[in-house]
Amino acid sequence: MISVLHFLNTLARGGTEEHVLMLLRGLDRRQFRLHLVCTPEVVEKLRADVPADVELLPLRLRKPTQAASAVRLMHLMRSRRVGILHCHQFYSSIFAAPLGRLCRVPVILETPHVREQWRRGWKANYAIDRVVGRCVDYYLANCQANARYLMEEKGLPAAKVELIYHGDDLKRFHPDHRPPAGLRESLGFGHDDPVLIVLGRLEPQKGHHVLLDALPMVRREFPAVRLVCVGDGSSRGALEDQAVRLGLQDAVRFVGHRSNVADWLALGDVTVLPSFFEGLPLVPMESLAAGRPVVASAVDGTPEIVISGKTGLTVPAGDVGALRGAVCEMLRDPARRRDLARAGREWVLEHFTAERLVERTQAFYLSSWKEKTGAR
């Protein structure tokens, strides 16, 4: 049995953490013994959803000065006889991968998850990535755009990059699902009001402010349109102020984090994802599986899910006018919305299921383990 340790040093629960949970739920216990090491903040957010047989360990290792944490992580890798160290995002890999190499862990993997839009100055030349990359055996790119980013921008060897599409538990979503009784009324919406749904953390990356800027123009054609922002984050106050400034307080609802995603998708007519950058986002997968069409920014892996004109509509990131036009185009034509959503559901169920993600990751774990150890 191979001991696999997943390492996260993130501070919030998002798509990366959901990806890890899918792997922890699905990997074959006859072949793998599983451990998850992450920050105390994320331990508390994930604890209820981590399978009981997975060892969950809190550890904060986010700075080079946290020597005691580095020593503890090395002790964990040695005492658990870790055979595969799987780091999630470069900021985790930069700390854990060299320690894994010092501990002689046979296989060290990194899933980058997103294009690192935040990099500026010397950090944008990726020299440190290539240095740390000497300790990483393989990078698991979650979409074609992510693979290109690793090879063309970061300059990592193509032989080290393996494409394994991200997936989701899409069995939770179905077009026939209806929102709970009274949900629409509790928000103050009329029975026939068209509803836009945005699912995602309220952070600048997600582009909520672009949609709010577009909404007054949408209302000129569709005065009854409503917007529900499901999620929370550091931008909530600024977005609420923006909605008031634009005179949208009657049309926009900020409902905070909600776990019943299927209910909120069922409430909407169109899901909008106006992000500035992504990896391979879960929201359009879930929306299309739920039979709800998507308007999204054409960034990173999103167009691999939302194929414009076939499974949804895409627009340039930050383009208020284009976003308004795409949303109005969707609201204008219910038949086209249904056609796009139907084709999108078929697409995501074929390519982006959790079962497919687990199956391909598991196969890669075994092949890389055999390659590095010579074991059968």
Side-chain angles (χ1 to χ4, degrees), residues 334-348:
R336 188 165 190 227
R337 289 205 305 268
R338 289 192 294 271
D339 289 344
L340 291 171
R342 188 181 305 112
R345 176 173 165 81
E346 292 175 1
W347 178 252
V348 297

mmCIF file with all atom_site columns, all heavy atoms in Angstrom, residues 334-348:
data_model
loop_
_atom_site.group_PDB
_atom_site.id
_atom_site.type_symbol
_atom_site.label_atom_id
_atom_site.label_alt_id
_atom_site.label_comp_id
_atom_site.label_asym_id
_atom_site.label_entity_id
_atom_site.label_seq_id
_atom_site.pdbx_PDB_ins_code
_atom_site.Cartn_x
_atom_site.Cartn_y
_atom_site.Cartn_z
_atom_site.occupancy
_atom_site.B_iso_or_equiv
_atom_site.pdbx_formal_charge
_atom_site.auth_seq_id
_atom_site.auth_comp_id
_atom_site.auth_asym_id
_atom_site.auth_atom_id
_atom_site.pdbx_PDB_model_num
ATOM 1   N N   . PRO A 1 334 ? -35.059 32.134 -24.867 1.00 0.00 ? 334 PRO A N   1
ATOM 2   C CA  . PRO A 1 334 ? -35.156 30.947 -23.992 1.00 0.00 ? 334 PRO A CA  1
ATOM 3   C C   . PRO A 1 334 ? -34.844 29.637 -24.712 1.00 0.00 ? 334 PRO A C   1
ATOM 4   O O   . PRO A 1 334 ? -34.242 28.731 -24.119 1.00 0.00 ? 334 PRO A O   1
ATOM 5   C CB  . PRO A 1 334 ? -36.614 30.980 -23.512 1.00 0.00 ? 334 PRO A CB  1
ATOM 6   C CG  . PRO A 1 334 ? -37.028 32.415 -23.659 1.00 0.00 ? 334 PRO A CG  1
ATOM 7   C CD  . PRO A 1 334 ? -36.292 32.927 -24.863 1.00 0.00 ? 334 PRO A CD  1
ATOM 8   N N   . ALA A 1 335 ? -35.230 29.522 -25.978 1.00 0.00 ? 335 ALA A N   1
ATOM 9   C CA  . ALA A 1 335 ? -34.969 28.271 -26.711 1.00 0.00 ? 335 ALA A CA  1
ATOM 10  C C   . ALA A 1 335 ? -33.471 28.056 -26.868 1.00 0.00 ? 335 ALA A C   1
ATOM 11  O O   . ALA A 1 335 ? -32.977 26.927 -26.720 1.00 0.00 ? 335 ALA A O   1
ATOM 12  C CB  . ALA A 1 335 ? -35.656 28.314 -28.072 1.00 0.00 ? 335 ALA A CB  1
ATOM 13  N N   . ARG A 1 336 ? -32.750 29.126 -27.175 1.00 0.00 ? 336 ARG A N   1
ATOM 14  C CA  . ARG A 1 336 ? -31.294 28.975 -27.320 1.00 0.00 ? 336 ARG A CA  1
ATOM 15  C C   . ARG A 1 336 ? -30.653 28.650 -25.978 1.00 0.00 ? 336 ARG A C   1
ATOM 16  O O   . ARG A 1 336 ? -29.701 27.871 -25.917 1.00 0.00 ? 336 ARG A O   1
ATOM 17  C CB  . ARG A 1 336 ? -30.687 30.261 -27.894 1.00 0.00 ? 336 ARG A CB  1
ATOM 18  C CG  . ARG A 1 336 ? -29.212 30.062 -28.226 1.00 0.00 ? 336 ARG A CG  1
ATOM 19  C CD  . ARG A 1 336 ? -28.662 31.147 -29.096 1.00 0.00 ? 336 ARG A CD  1
ATOM 20  N NE  . ARG A 1 336 ? -27.347 30.780 -29.564 1.00 0.00 ? 336 ARG A NE  1
ATOM 21  C CZ  . ARG A 1 336 ? -26.297 31.594 -29.535 1.00 0.00 ? 336 ARG A CZ  1
ATOM 22  N NH1 . ARG A 1 336 ? -26.431 32.829 -29.084 1.00 0.00 ? 336 ARG A NH1 1
ATOM 23  N NH2 . ARG A 1 336 ? -25.134 31.191 -29.981 1.00 0.00 ? 336 ARG A NH2 1
ATOM 24  N N   . ARG A 1 337 ? -31.152 29.257 -24.915 1.00 0.00 ? 337 ARG A N   1
ATOM 25  C CA  . ARG A 1 337 ? -30.635 28.927 -23.586 1.00 0.00 ? 337 ARG A CA  1
ATOM 26  C C   . ARG A 1 337 ? -30.754 27.430 -23.335 1.00 0.00 ? 337 ARG A C   1
ATOM 27  O O   . ARG A 1 337 ? -29.818 26.788 -22.857 1.00 0.00 ? 337 ARG A O   1
ATOM 28  C CB  . ARG A 1 337 ? -31.407 29.685 -22.495 1.00 0.00 ? 337 ARG A CB  1
ATOM 29  C CG  . ARG A 1 337 ? -31.143 31.163 -22.436 1.00 0.00 ? 337 ARG A CG  1
ATOM 30  C CD  . ARG A 1 337 ? -31.420 31.722 -21.044 1.00 0.00 ? 337 ARG A CD  1
ATOM 31  N NE  . ARG A 1 337 ? -32.746 31.441 -20.535 1.00 0.00 ? 337 ARG A NE  1
ATOM 32  C CZ  . ARG A 1 337 ? -33.809 32.218 -20.675 1.00 0.00 ? 337 ARG A CZ  1
ATOM 33  N NH1 . ARG A 1 337 ? -33.708 33.339 -21.396 1.00 0.00 ? 337 ARG A NH1 1
ATOM 34  N NH2 . ARG A 1 337 ? -34.962 31.905 -20.123 1.00 0.00 ? 337 ARG A NH2 1
ATOM 35  N N   . ARG A 1 338 ? -31.919 26.882 -23.660 1.00 0.00 ? 338 ARG A N   1
ATOM 36  C CA  . ARG A 1 338 ? -32.128 25.447 -23.431 1.00 0.00 ? 338 ARG A CA  1
ATOM 37  C C   . ARG A 1 338 ? -31.201 24.606 -24.292 1.00 0.00 ? 338 ARG A C   1
ATOM 38  O O   . ARG A 1 338 ? -30.640 23.602 -23.824 1.00 0.00 ? 338 ARG A O   1
ATOM 39  C CB  . ARG A 1 338 ? -33.591 25.084 -23.709 1.00 0.00 ? 338 ARG A CB  1
ATOM 40  C CG  . ARG A 1 338 ? -34.570 25.610 -22.672 1.00 0.00 ? 338 ARG A CG  1
ATOM 41  C CD  . ARG A 1 338 ? -35.940 24.981 -22.839 1.00 0.00 ? 338 ARG A CD  1
ATOM 42  N NE  . ARG A 1 338 ? -36.574 25.373 -24.096 1.00 0.00 ? 338 ARG A NE  1
ATOM 43  C CZ  . ARG A 1 338 ? -37.335 26.455 -24.238 1.00 0.00 ? 338 ARG A CZ  1
ATOM 44  N NH1 . ARG A 1 338 ? -37.542 27.270 -23.211 1.00 0.00 ? 338 ARG A NH1 1
ATOM 45  N NH2 . ARG A 1 338 ? -37.900 26.724 -25.406 1.00 0.00 ? 338 ARG A NH2 1
ATOM 46  N N   . ASP A 1 339 ? -30.987 25.001 -25.546 1.00 0.00 ? 339 ASP A N   1
ATOM 47  C CA  . ASP A 1 339 ? -30.115 24.231 -26.442 1.00 0.00 ? 339 ASP A CA  1
ATOM 48  C C   . ASP A 1 339 ? -28.666 24.252 -25.944 1.00 0.00 ? 339 ASP A C   1
ATOM 49  O O   . ASP A 1 339 ? -27.987 23.215 -25.951 1.00 0.00 ? 339 ASP A O   1
ATOM 50  C CB  . ASP A 1 339 ? -30.179 24.803 -27.859 1.00 0.00 ? 339 ASP A CB  1
ATOM 51  C CG  . ASP A 1 339 ? -31.518 24.529 -28.546 1.00 0.00 ? 339 ASP A CG  1
ATOM 52  O OD1 . ASP A 1 339 ? -32.262 23.648 -28.051 1.00 0.00 ? 339 ASP A OD1 1
ATOM 53  O OD2 . ASP A 1 339 ? -31.817 25.202 -29.547 1.00 0.00 ? 339 ASP A OD2 1
ATOM 54  N N   . LEU A 1 340 ? -28.197 25.426 -25.551 1.00 0.00 ? 340 LEU A N   1
ATOM 55  C CA  . LEU A 1 340 ? -26.819 25.538 -25.053 1.00 0.00 ? 340 LEU A CA  1
ATOM 56  C C   . LEU A 1 340 ? -26.639 24.721 -23.779 1.00 0.00 ? 340 LEU A C   1
ATOM 57  O O   . LEU A 1 340 ? -25.622 24.033 -23.599 1.00 0.00 ? 340 LEU A O   1
ATOM 58  C CB  . LEU A 1 340 ? -26.464 27.001 -24.798 1.00 0.00 ? 340 LEU A CB  1
ATOM 59  C CG  . LEU A 1 340 ? -26.327 27.902 -26.033 1.00 0.00 ? 340 LEU A CG  1
ATOM 60  C CD1 . LEU A 1 340 ? -26.182 29.361 -25.611 1.00 0.00 ? 340 LEU A CD1 1
ATOM 61  C CD2 . LEU A 1 340 ? -25.130 27.480 -26.887 1.00 0.00 ? 340 LEU A CD2 1
ATOM 62  N N   . ALA A 1 341 ? -27.620 24.813 -22.889 1.00 0.00 ? 341 ALA A N   1
ATOM 63  C CA  . ALA A 1 341 ? -27.520 24.076 -21.628 1.00 0.00 ? 341 ALA A CA  1
ATOM 64  C C   . ALA A 1 341 ? -27.550 22.570 -21.866 1.00 0.00 ? 341 ALA A C   1
ATOM 65  O O   . ALA A 1 341 ? -26.821 21.808 -21.216 1.00 0.00 ? 341 ALA A O   1
ATOM 66  C CB  . ALA A 1 341 ? -28.654 24.495 -20.699 1.00 0.00 ? 341 ALA A CB  1
ATOM 67  N N   . ARG A 1 342 ? -28.386 22.124 -22.812 1.00 0.00 ? 342 ARG A N   1
ATOM 68  C CA  . ARG A 1 342 ? -28.477 20.686 -23.108 1.00 0.00 ? 342 ARG A CA  1
ATOM 69  C C   . ARG A 1 342 ? -27.146 20.168 -23.659 1.00 0.00 ? 342 ARG A C   1
ATOM 70  O O   . ARG A 1 342 ? -26.634 19.128 -23.214 1.00 0.00 ? 342 ARG A O   1
ATOM 71  C CB  . ARG A 1 342 ? -29.597 20.423 -24.105 1.00 0.00 ? 342 ARG A CB  1
ATOM 72  C CG  . ARG A 1 342 ? -29.902 18.944 -24.328 1.00 0.00 ? 342 ARG A CG  1
ATOM 73  C CD  . ARG A 1 342 ? -31.018 18.749 -25.341 1.00 0.00 ? 342 ARG A CD  1
ATOM 74  N NE  . ARG A 1 342 ? -32.220 19.468 -24.968 1.00 0.00 ? 342 ARG A NE  1
ATOM 75  C CZ  . ARG A 1 342 ? -32.706 20.518 -25.616 1.00 0.00 ? 342 ARG A CZ  1
ATOM 76  N NH1 . ARG A 1 342 ? -32.083 20.989 -26.693 1.00 0.00 ? 342 ARG A NH1 1
ATOM 77  N NH2 . ARG A 1 342 ? -33.820 21.108 -25.213 1.00 0.00 ? 342 ARG A NH2 1
ATOM 78  N N   . ALA A 1 343 ? -26.582 20.904 -24.606 1.00 0.00 ? 343 ALA A N   1
ATOM 79  C CA  . ALA A 1 343 ? -25.289 20.497 -25.173 1.00 0.00 ? 343 ALA A CA  1
ATOM 80  C C   . ALA A 1 343 ? -24.192 20.568 -24.120 1.00 0.00 ? 343 ALA A C   1
ATOM 81  O O   . ALA A 1 343 ? -23.297 19.711 -24.070 1.00 0.00 ? 343 ALA A O   1
ATOM 82  C CB  . ALA A 1 343 ? -24.943 21.392 -26.363 1.00 0.00 ? 343 ALA A CB  1
ATOM 83  N N   . GLY A 1 344 ? -24.261 21.591 -23.264 1.00 0.00 ? 344 GLY A N   1
ATOM 84  C CA  . GLY A 1 344 ? -23.263 21.732 -22.212 1.00 0.00 ? 344 GLY A CA  1
ATOM 85  C C   . GLY A 1 344 ? -23.317 20.611 -21.199 1.00 0.00 ? 344 GLY A C   1
ATOM 86  O O   . GLY A 1 344 ? -22.288 20.123 -20.739 1.00 0.00 ? 344 GLY A O   1
ATOM 87  N N   . ARG A 1 345 ? -24.523 20.177 -20.865 1.00 0.00 ? 345 ARG A N   1
ATOM 88  C CA  . ARG A 1 345 ? -24.654 19.067 -19.919 1.00 0.00 ? 345 ARG A CA  1
ATOM 89  C C   . ARG A 1 345 ? -24.029 17.803 -20.494 1.00 0.00 ? 345 ARG A C   1
ATOM 90  O O   . ARG A 1 345 ? -23.293 17.084 -19.799 1.00 0.00 ? 345 ARG A O   1
ATOM 91  C CB  . ARG A 1 345 ? -26.131 18.839 -19.588 1.00 0.00 ? 345 ARG A CB  1
ATOM 92  C CG  . ARG A 1 345 ? -26.363 17.641 -18.675 1.00 0.00 ? 345 ARG A CG  1
ATOM 93  C CD  . ARG A 1 345 ? -27.817 17.549 -18.226 1.00 0.00 ? 345 ARG A CD  1
ATOM 94  N NE  . ARG A 1 345 ? -28.099 16.239 -17.657 1.00 0.00 ? 345 ARG A NE  1
ATOM 95  C CZ  . ARG A 1 345 ? -27.814 15.853 -16.419 1.00 0.00 ? 345 ARG A CZ  1
ATOM 96  N NH1 . ARG A 1 345 ? -27.218 16.699 -15.582 1.00 0.00 ? 345 ARG A NH1 1
ATOM 97  N NH2 . ARG A 1 345 ? -28.099 14.645 -15.982 1.00 0.00 ? 345 ARG A NH2 1
ATOM 98  N N   . GLU A 1 346 ? -24.281 17.514 -21.750 1.00 0.00 ? 346 GLU A N   1
ATOM 99  C CA  . GLU A 1 346 ? -23.672 16.340 -22.383 1.00 0.00 ? 346 GLU A CA  1
ATOM 100 C C   . GLU A 1 346 ? -22.150 16.444 -22.365 1.00 0.00 ? 346 GLU A C   1
ATOM 101 O O   . GLU A 1 346 ? -21.445 15.456 -22.101 1.00 0.00 ? 346 GLU A O   1
ATOM 102 C CB  . GLU A 1 346 ? -24.176 16.206 -23.819 1.00 0.00 ? 346 GLU A CB  1
ATOM 103 C CG  . GLU A 1 346 ? -25.654 15.858 -23.918 1.00 0.00 ? 346 GLU A CG  1
ATOM 104 C CD  . GLU A 1 346 ? -26.155 15.862 -25.358 1.00 0.00 ? 346 GLU A CD  1
ATOM 105 O OE1 . GLU A 1 346 ? -25.333 16.123 -26.276 1.00 0.00 ? 346 GLU A OE1 1
ATOM 106 O OE2 . GLU A 1 346 ? -27.360 15.617 -25.581 1.00 0.00 ? 346 GLU A OE2 1
ATOM 107 N N   . TRP A 1 347 ? -21.638 17.644 -22.619 1.00 0.00 ? 347 TRP A N   1
ATOM 108 C CA  . TRP A 1 347 ? -20.180 17.860 -22.681 1.00 0.00 ? 347 TRP A CA  1
ATOM 109 C C   . TRP A 1 347 ? -19.520 17.618 -21.329 1.00 0.00 ? 347 TRP A C   1
ATOM 110 O O   . TRP A 1 347 ? -18.520 16.914 -21.223 1.00 0.00 ? 347 TRP A O   1
ATOM 111 C CB  . TRP A 1 347 ? -19.916 19.277 -23.185 1.00 0.00 ? 347 TRP A CB  1
ATOM 112 C CG  . TRP A 1 347 ? -18.481 19.667 -23.268 1.00 0.00 ? 347 TRP A CG  1
ATOM 113 C CD1 . TRP A 1 347 ? -17.804 20.535 -22.451 1.00 0.00 ? 347 TRP A CD1 1
ATOM 114 C CD2 . TRP A 1 347 ? -17.514 19.210 -24.228 1.00 0.00 ? 347 TRP A CD2 1
ATOM 115 N NE1 . TRP A 1 347 ? -16.488 20.656 -22.837 1.00 0.00 ? 347 TRP A NE1 1
ATOM 116 C CE2 . TRP A 1 347 ? -16.286 19.851 -23.922 1.00 0.00 ? 347 TRP A CE2 1
ATOM 117 C CE3 . TRP A 1 347 ? -17.573 18.332 -25.307 1.00 0.00 ? 347 TRP A CE3 1
ATOM 118 C CZ2 . TRP A 1 347 ? -15.131 19.640 -24.675 1.00 0.00 ? 347 TRP A CZ2 1
ATOM 119 C CZ3 . TRP A 1 347 ? -16.406 18.108 -26.056 1.00 0.00 ? 347 TRP A CZ3 1
ATOM 120 C CH2 . TRP A 1 347 ? -15.217 18.759 -25.727 1.00 0.00 ? 347 TRP A CH2 1
ATOM 121 N N   . VAL A 1 348 ? -20.077 18.203 -20.268 1.00 0.00 ? 348 VAL A N   1
ATOM 122 C CA  . VAL A 1 348 ? -19.421 18.076 -18.965 1.00 0.00 ? 348 VAL A CA  1
ATOM 123 C C   . VAL A 1 348 ? -19.553 16.671 -18.408 1.00 0.00 ? 348 VAL A C   1
ATOM 124 O O   . VAL A 1 348 ? -18.629 16.169 -17.745 1.00 0.00 ? 348 VAL A O   1
ATOM 125 C CB  . VAL A 1 348 ? -19.927 19.130 -17.951 1.00 0.00 ? 348 VAL A CB  1
ATOM 126 C CG1 . VAL A 1 348 ? -19.602 20.532 -18.424 1.00 0.00 ? 348 VAL A CG1 1
ATOM 127 C CG2 . VAL A 1 348 ? -21.418 18.986 -17.653 1.00 0.00 ? 348 VAL A CG2 1
#
